[in-house]
Amino acid sequence: YLENLPYKLRTEASMYVYQHIFSGVDFLSHQNTCFISWISPRLKPQIFDEAQPIFTQGDTVSEIYFLSRGKACYASPLINYRKFSRIKEGATFGINDLLACWRIRYGEFDITRNYPYSGVKRIFTVIAINTIECLTIDSGDLKIIQDQWVNEFIDLHEMA
């Protein structure tokens, strides 16, 4: 519904409606209001129960995650899903699979390069440690961020 409002009102409404969520997500908490008003209607909330996989190795990368409440971890499917790295509340995850794939295929990351966003498979598995709440954006929106919101994409890349 926010996309139908005039720009200034949409920006103010987005900031008001989503402020409590953004303040808990490291990447979103320091972004400018123009970017927040653009990304707000694209964010989708998801809830995962304790021990539920959020994504698994081999899945196609379709979303990037912002952990707004709870804890998750990377786990190895090769060793009975042994947990090896925690993801703290407020963190961004799921972009690492894209970045790792791009580095393997193309070497050093270059913000100006037109990387593929479709068909990339997940390298990692992530599992909820407790019940968690996430905000997600799809990989198509991530491509728009890279193309149109370069500074924000660099922030996202650096926080991964």
Side-chain angles (χ1 to χ4, degrees):
Y1 73 95
L2 290 176
E3 289 182 336
N4 298 330
L5 296 174
Y7 177 76
K8 185 170 173 52
L9 184 56
R10 179 177 68 224
T11 301
E12 291 173 9
S14 292
M15 294 306 292
Y16 178 77
V17 170
Y18 296 107
Q19 184 60 39
H20 71 284
I21 296 170
F22 296 153
S23 63
V25 175
D26 298 341
F27 169 70
L28 299 172
S29 66
H30 69 277
Q31 299 302 328
N32 67 56
T33 56
C34 292
F35 179 74
I36 293 297
S37 69
W38 176 83
I39 200 170
S40 296
R42 290 164 175 79
L43 293 168
K44 298 169 194 78
Q46 292 190 24
I47 296 175
F48 296 91
D49 293 326
E50 181 178 347
Q52 181 180 358
I54 298 161
F55 54 78
T56 58
Q57 183 178 10
D59 289 351
T60 300
V61 176
S62 59
E63 296 173 310
I64 305 304
Y65 299 81
F66 303 101
L67 184 57
S68 56
R69 181 169 294 140
K71 294 179 184 171
C73 66
Y74 291 95
S76 174
L78 301 175
I79 316 171
N80 276 345
Y81 292 95
R82 182 170 179 232
K83 301 168 184 157
F84 64 87
S85 181
R86 291 187 183 246
I87 301 169
K88 68 178 180 75
E89 194 168 290
T92 300
F93 64 99
I95 191 172
N96 296 342
D97 300 286
L98 284 170
L99 297 174
C101 177
W102 295 340
R103 285 186 188 117
I104 290 167
R105 289 185 188 170
Y106 307 105
E108 190 67 31
F109 181 77
D110 177 3
I111 190 72
T112 62
R113 187 180 195 122
N114 189 14
Y115 293 102
Y117 280 79
S118 61
V120 176
K121 300 293 184 189
R122 295 245 182 236
I123 298 169
F124 303 105
T125 295
V126 172
I127 297 173
I129 293 176
N130 53 11
T131 300
I132 66 169
E133 296 176 15
C134 294
L135 297 170
T136 66
I137 58 168
D138 68 38
S139 57
D141 288 332
L142 186 62
K143 173 71 174 133
I144 294 169
I145 294 171
Q146 181 185 1
D147 293 343
Q148 298 178 9
W149 302 93
V150 176
N151 292 333
E152 290 77 3
F153 187 81
I154 291 169
D155 285 351
L156 195 54
H157 175 263
E158 290 173 352
M159 294 180 118

